[in-house]
Amino acid sequence: MDLHEAAQELYAVLPRDFTSARTSLVRAAKEDGNKELAQEIGRLPKPAAGAWAINMLAAHRPEVIDGVVRFGASLRAAQEESDAAAFRELSQQRQGQLTSAVHAAKDLADELGAPLSAAAASDVEQTLRAAMADAGAARAVGTGRLVRGLSGSGFESVDLTDAVAAASAEDIAGSGSAAGTEAGPAAEPVRKKAAAAKEAANKEKKPKEQATSLADRRAAKRQAALKQAQDEFQGADREAQDAEKKASEAWEAVNELARRRSDVEAEIAEVKKRLASLEADLIGLARDADSAESGKKLAVRTATQLRRSADQAQRRVDRLG
């Protein structure tokens, strides 16, 4: 066992089992006589809830991570090639891809018995967004050893410092412009459409339109169109994130009310059970009270009769004396 293998095993366990699993791995390394490895394993940090959910997707639903990575590669390729049409269309599809992946993470966490909070789900989305924007972040989410969430917009490199446990250079290395070759099925129709449009435009060009000055003007126009598309996307993306945050809060509120309702219903059931028991006791007490009342009347009659007899005996004694 080396550090990489130990980390791969450790970051695949449930959050509640992390500490005990790490202790077991440290003990195993010590028993093998590898004190240095034991110390390295002991320093491995517990992952944040959102990072844990990403690791679970990498381990149990790799197709979800692969879809996010491929879609991000297509998006970055469109941006690098200043393909405004492709970038605009992919940007419109981006939130749907993220929402689907986050739902997959939530469902998987529920299945594993460790539901995600709203904050953890938001961290999952932010991390997957960063993976779409940056090739290094895309590799990091696929390791299954993510320690913390990632953040990135696509306009600067994502900070991967201490983001992956037992990280190697390959785990976090970016793939640069070559990432465009990883474009997946989700982007293929857009790429074909853009390529066809470019080919048609090239066929219609006249010799005089191929001058350098005209090419420069077209490049500038295309760059301006891309910049406008990016600005529009950022504004729409911020609005979408705000709406998603509110939706997540509403979802949490519904869950909390459902939990409270369940607690109250359980309490009502307990009270009803107690009430039924008390009513049974009351019926028994009423029966005993009726019986006691009959016994009391009989005792009073008997006492009265005996008192009369005693009084008569006393009068005879008085007469004879």
Side-chain angles (χ1 to χ4, degrees), residues 28-309:
K30 288 180 178 179
E31 290 174 352
D32 288 342
N34 197 334
K35 294 183 178 180
E36 183 178 350
L37 175 59
Q39 292 176 350
E40 291 177 334
I41 295 174
R43 287 193 292 267
L44 292 175
K46 183 176 182 179
W52 171 80
I54 297 290
N55 294 339
M56 293 303 98
L57 285 178
H60 302 284
R61 302 284 191 277
E63 68 279 4
V64 175
I65 297 295
D66 185 58
V68 169
V69 170
R70 287 178 177 274
F71 186 87
S74 300
L75 190 63
R76 294 194 303 276
Q79 183 177 2
E80 290 168 3
E81 295 170 8
S82 299
D83 191 338
F87 182 82
R88 187 190 303 274
E89 187 163 347
L90 287 169
S91 295
Q92 292 173 350
Q93 299 172 15
R94 182 186 190 187
Q95 190 55 50
Q97 293 283 334
L98 286 170
T99 299
S100 177
V102 172
H103 284 168
K106 285 182 177 179
D107 292 343
L108 179 57
D110 288 342
E111 291 175 15
L112 295 174
L116 296 180
S117 66
S122 177
D123 194 29
V124 169
E125 179 174 340
Q126 187 172 351
T127 298
L128 295 178
R129 190 184 300 276
M132 284 185 175
D134 182 84
R139 293 183 67 86
V141 300
T143 63
R145 290 175 277 112
L146 205 61
V147 174
R148 62 172 176 81
L150 306 177
S151 177
S153 62
F155 298 99
E156 58 183 13
S157 297
V158 174
D159 180 13
L160 298 175
T161 305
D162 297 328
V164 178
S168 64
E170 295 181 354
D171 290 333
I172 58 177
S175 55
S177 59
T181 62
E182 301 173 359
E188 190 59 27
V190 179
R191 307 297 299 150
K192 287 183 177 179
K193 188 188 299 181
K198 286 182 180 179
E199 184 177 355
N202 288 334
K203 288 181 178 179
E204 294 175 358
K205 283 183 180 178
K206 296 179 180 180
K208 62 180 179 180
E209 293 176 332
Q210 297 176 356
T212 303
S213 59
L214 181 57
D216 290 342
R217 287 197 299 273
R218 286 183 173 178
K221 185 176 180 180
R222 185 171 57 184
Q223 189 64 34
L226 176 60
K227 178 63 167 61
Q228 181 181 359
Q230 290 174 336
D231 291 342
E232 291 175 357
F233 163 70
Q234 287 182 333
D237 190 47
R238 283 193 296 270
E239 292 179 357
Q241 289 188 52
D242 290 341
E244 288 162 0
K245 182 179 180 181
K246 291 179 180 178
S248 180
E249 291 173 350
W251 184 74
E252 282 296 309
V254 169
N255 284 348
E256 177 60 24
L257 289 172
R259 284 192 292 269
R260 290 171 58 187
R261 177 179 179 178
S262 179
D263 291 342
V264 171
E265 288 175 343
E267 188 173 350
I268 289 174
E270 184 63 29
V271 170
K272 285 182 176 179
K273 186 186 298 184
R274 177 60 179 159
L275 178 61
S277 176
L278 291 174
E279 287 176 341
D281 290 345
L282 181 60
I283 291 172
L285 289 172
R287 201 164 42 239
D288 292 344
D290 290 342
S291 178
E293 180 66 24
S294 298
K296 181 197 74 173
K297 291 179 179 178
L298 178 60
V300 169
R301 285 197 301 269
T302 301
T304 301
Q305 292 173 357
L306 292 174
R307 174 52 55 193
R308 288 175 180 171
S309 297

